[in-house]
Amino acid sequence: MDLRRINFGIEIETVKRTRERVAQAIQSVVGGQVRHIGSPGSFDPWEVTDDHGRVWKVVSDGSLINVPVHLRAEVVSPVLSYEDIPVLQEVVRALRACGAKVDERCGIHVHVDATAFDGRTLANLAKIVYKQEALILTALGVNETRRRSYSKPVSDDLIAQIERRRPRTRDQLNHIWYGCHNRQPQHYDSTRYHGVNLHNVWYRGTVEFRWFEGTLHAGKVKAYVQLVLAVAAKALNGRAASSRKRSFDPQSARYDFRVFLLHLGLIGDEFKTARKHLIAALPGDSAFKRGRVKPNEQSAPKVEPLTEAGPETRPPAFSGDETGGTQGGAS
């Protein structure tokens, strides 16, 4: 499965502007009509039906308690394709231009179409994330409140049961996820508050990724979407996945995460800015696992720089990267 063929949706939480104003900002990009739906009253939704007939919603969010109710706005996109990412970025820029803001309570959730997933590939997904979760959470700057309450890590027990029972079907994984067969999942099921929310597979047909802190930076939003699409594609394409948890090493964290991104297929110029944003918060050096050799350390063992083909080869086609280095140097 090519990550570019997986559909997605996104929810972006903002504050400081009314839902009507946010809806008008969306309309300035996607065209169409703005309507105040108003029901249910607890969400007070506004809708923008774009020029393609797709509906963008702007709803209230009860978790945004730092501002008055009328200044809480959560943007809920329609189903989008990879080709829609530039439009999404323009929507994000329009939100920022209209004066919308984010605070520490704002978040972003990305939904990936779960149609192609079965029990085995959903298990792959859980294991891929479990193995790299310390790196992922640190790279994304997920705060402690979000980790504890709204974006919990993949549990040890879930992985242990997956490894023991080897689910092949969604029904088998449903039993593992809920602890029983849940034939009628409800929206506010307690299991939904995980960074990788598989409850949504049975509730609305998507895998929800709840890791992301709020932002109105269009480049970061694009990077977040590309990351989850790449993780989903990796899970779908793999025959199996390792669940051996990776320890977090601050000295090599940036290098390790960049290697992970390359293994996900985020290679080349198309994903250059995604790699830049996703490794920016990590310590270490993206090209050298144990740091660069300093001039006064010439006697130290030589450390091969990372290339996209691996540490042993240096293909001439890859001549630069987000580190600003060149082939044979820091790329």
Side-chain angles (χ1 to χ4, degrees):
M1 173 70 76
D2 188 324
L3 67 89
R4 301 168 189 83
R5 303 275 69 83
I6 303 174
N7 290 336
F8 70 96
I10 191 167
E11 299 163 359
I12 303 173
E13 296 170 351
T14 72
V15 295
K16 301 294 187 180
R17 285 295 180 266
T18 65
R19 290 177 284 284
E20 179 181 13
R21 184 69 188 90
V22 169
Q24 291 169 346
I26 296 171
Q27 183 196 32
S28 72
V29 175
V30 304
Q33 302 295 319
V34 175
R35 292 191 306 155
H36 181 217
I37 306 303
S39 180
S42 58
F43 296 106
D44 186 39
W46 288 73
E47 291 186 353
V48 182
T49 303
D50 67 20
D51 288 338
H52 300 285
R54 301 178 300 188
V55 177
W56 299 70
K57 296 181 180 180
V58 184
V59 300
S60 179
D61 189 298
S63 69
L64 305 177
I65 59 175
N66 291 348
V67 298
V69 172
H70 72 288
L71 297 179
R72 305 172 187 176
E74 178 181 356
V75 176
V76 182
S77 80
V79 176
L80 301 174
S81 68
Y82 191 82
E83 291 73 20
D84 290 317
I85 290 179
V87 174
L88 172 62
Q89 289 185 279
E90 289 304 315
V91 167
V92 172
R93 294 183 181 109
L95 297 178
R96 187 174 67 244
C98 85
K101 306 291 183 182
V102 298
D103 64 18
E104 66 273 14
R105 297 195 68 88
C106 292
I108 290 177
H109 303 162
V110 182
H111 293 254
V112 170
D113 182 13
T115 302
F117 283 92
D118 58 17
R120 179 184 63 82
T121 50
L122 286 171
N124 283 350
L125 177 63
K127 290 191 284 185
I128 289 168
V129 171
Y130 181 78
K131 179 176 181 177
Q132 303 288 354
E133 200 158 29
L135 272 173
I136 293 170
L137 295 177
T138 305
L140 297 177
V142 184
N143 68 55
E144 284 301 319
T145 299
R146 197 174 302 280
R147 294 190 195 196
R148 186 171 57 251
S149 302
Y150 303 112
S151 182
K152 298 174 186 177
V154 177
S155 73
D156 296 338
D157 182 63
L158 175 69
I159 296 302
Q161 291 203 51
I162 284 173
E163 293 288 22
R164 183 170 64 251
R165 300 170 68 172
R166 306 286 180 177
R168 308 297 296 180
T169 68
R170 286 198 193 190
D171 196 52
Q172 290 169 340
L173 191 61
N174 176 288
H175 193 283
I176 294 173
W177 180 260
Y178 294 108
C180 62
H181 279 111
N182 187 347
R183 306 297 186 187
Q184 295 182 311
Q186 302 300 307
H187 178 52
Y188 288 109
D189 188 275
S190 61
T191 66
R192 71 193 291 262
Y193 296 107
H194 284 81
V196 178
N197 171 21
L198 299 187
H199 161 69
N200 248 40
V201 172
W202 298 282
Y203 177 67
R204 62 175 58 166
T206 69
V207 178
E208 182 186 28
F209 294 81
R210 300 172 57 91
W211 293 316
F212 307 105
E213 300 291 326
T215 184
L216 292 176
H217 188 299
K220 290 181 180 179
V221 171
K222 178 181 179 180
Y224 297 163
V225 170
Q226 289 176 324
L227 172 63
V228 300
L229 293 179
V231 171
K234 185 74 170 177
L236 287 167
N237 293 330
R239 295 183 61 184
S242 168
S243 63
R244 183 179 180 183
K245 203 166 186 66
R246 187 188 192 103
S247 60
F248 181 82
D249 182 349
Q251 185 178 8
S252 64
R254 184 175 289 209
Y255 176 97
D256 293 338
F257 197 61
R258 183 166 177 253
V259 170
F260 174 57
L261 296 178
L262 297 179
H263 287 168
L264 290 178
L266 298 179
I267 298 171
D269 287 345
E270 180 180 359
F271 305 107
K272 183 176 181 179
T273 57
R275 296 193 302 272
K276 174 184 175 181
H277 290 306
L278 293 170
I279 70 172
L282 289 168
D285 188 292
S286 64
F288 294 86
K289 188 172 182 69
R290 297 301 172 193
R292 296 171 187 268
V293 178
K294 297 179 181 179
N296 61 349
E297 297 175 347
Q298 296 300 321
S299 61
K302 184 177 180 182
V303 180
E304 289 293 335
L306 170 69
T307 72
E308 298 195 358
E312 301 299 327
T313 60
R314 304 180 183 181
F318 186 67
S319 59
D321 203 349
E322 66 277 2
T323 61
T326 58
Q327 190 64 35
S331 70

